[in-house]
């Protein structure tokens, strides 16, 4: 989470969506910056609303003073990024089942859908949601792939050009093959994510979310 309310926005750091790059780039402008503990760095919309909105109010910033924004990634690409990230050697000797160096992408996706131990439990639709009904609570969502759009928006808010400092990109070259059967299961599982992503695509990479919106 990167709070820049004096510049009119707070950026929630969606996992696997350039969060480390944004932290490194914006740290000199932020009033509050969460970047070490993953639970704080990747604080979701619900946690921010309940815990950080009152903190900012105490500092004189009302919720209407800033936009709550985040990046959002093509859903299969987002999950693939997790798979590649967990192939790093540092995880190989740990007993938590998270290393994916010998796990196919197909099996990784199945574990995620089935909620198997060691699988990815988070998902993008929940990250931006206020409640269990997946009511979207952020004000604006940017498509990660439309970098020129969100970089320009941030630069406009800061009043200066932003030079992104790229960090934490995966070096894995493994092939992420996904069977037709598993792709069908994943697309069904990710129906809310794809609803949001299609809204993003239609809006040109920057979507001002209507109040109370719930993805299908």
């Amino acid at each position: 989470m990167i709070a820049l309310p004096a510049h009119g926005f707070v950026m929630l750091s969606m996992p696997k969506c350039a969060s480390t790059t944004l932290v490194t780039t914006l740290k000199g402008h932020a009033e509050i910056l969460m970047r070490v503990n993953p639970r704080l760095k990747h604080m979701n919309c619900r946690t921010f609303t309940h815990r950080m909105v009152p903190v900012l109010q105490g500092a004189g910033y009302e919720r209407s003073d800033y936009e709550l924004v985040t990046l959002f990634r093509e859903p299969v690409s987002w999950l693939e990024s997790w798979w590649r990230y967990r192939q790093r050697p540092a995880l190989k000797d740990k007993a938590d089942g998270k290393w994916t160096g010998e796990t196919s992408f197909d099996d990784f996706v199945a574990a995620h859908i089935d909620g198997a131990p060691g699988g990815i439990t988070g998902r993008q639709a929940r990250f931006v949601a206020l409640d269990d009904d997946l009511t979207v609570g952020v004000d604006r969502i940017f498509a990660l792939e439309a970098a020129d759009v969100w970089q320009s928006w941030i630069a406009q808010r800061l009043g200066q050009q932003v030079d992104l400092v790229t960090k934490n990109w995966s070096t894995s070259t493994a092939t992420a093959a996904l069977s037709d059967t598993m792709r069908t299961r994943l697309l069904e599982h990710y129906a809310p994510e794809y609803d949001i992503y299609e809204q993003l695509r239609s809006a040109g990479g920057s979507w001002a979310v209507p109040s109370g919106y719930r993805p299908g």
Side-chain angles (χ1 to χ4, degrees), residues 5-22:
H7 294 286
F9 72 102
V10 171
M11 176 75 72
L12 295 182
S13 297
M14 174 80 77
K16 314 316 297 174
C17 285
S19 55
T20 301
T21 292
L22 287 167

Side-chain angles (χ1 to χ4, degrees), residues 74 76-77 80 105-106 109 113 176-190 194:
E74 193 282 325
V76 174
S77 174
E80 180 184 340
F105 187 50
D106 224 49
V109 170
I113 295 174
L178 193 61
S179 67
D180 291 342
T181 298
M182 194 56 64
R183 183 175 294 277
T184 298
R185 285 190 65 196
L186 184 58
L187 293 180
E188 181 178 350
H189 183 69
Y190 273 170
Y194 273 105

Side-chain angles (χ1 to χ4, degrees), residues 8-11 63 65-69 139-140 153 157 208:
F9 72 102
V10 171
M11 176 75 72
R63 180 61 182 82
D65 292 334
Y66 55 87
E67 281 192 80
L68 186 61
V69 306
D139 301 311
R140 183 177 298 274
W153 187 90
R157 289 301 179 103

Side-chain angles (χ1 to χ4, degrees), residues 10-121:
V10 171
M11 176 75 72
L12 295 182
S13 297
M14 174 80 77
K16 314 316 297 174
C17 285
S19 55
T20 301
T21 292
L22 287 167
V23 164
T24 304
T25 301
L26 297 176
K27 62 184 179 181
H29 305 278
E31 294 180 64
I32 302 176
L33 178 66
M34 305 296 191
R35 63 175 181 171
V36 179
N37 186 312
R39 293 185 180 183
L40 296 175
K41 177 182 178 180
H42 298 300
M43 181 183 302
N44 62 27
C45 179
R46 189 184 304 199
T47 299
F48 175 83
T49 300
H50 291 309
R51 298 186 180 180
M52 293 306 300
V53 167
V55 171
L56 292 177
Q57 285 176 331
Y61 295 111
E62 295 299 326
R63 180 61 182 82
S64 58
D65 292 334
Y66 55 87
E67 281 192 80
L68 186 61
V69 306
T70 193
L71 270 59
F72 199 97
R73 189 170 186 164
E74 193 282 325
V76 174
S77 174
W78 181 81
L79 199 55
E80 180 184 340
S81 182
W82 272 114
W83 176 70
R84 294 185 184 282
Y85 179 71
R86 288 190 170 187
Q87 290 176 358
R88 65 194 194 279
L91 294 180
K92 185 175 181 179
D93 297 325
K94 294 187 177 182
D96 55 11
K98 292 183 179 180
W99 185 59
T100 58
E102 296 178 348
T103 303
S104 69
F105 187 50
D106 224 49
D107 288 343
F108 180 76
V109 170
H112 171 61
I113 295 174
D114 297 337
I120 297 299
T121 57

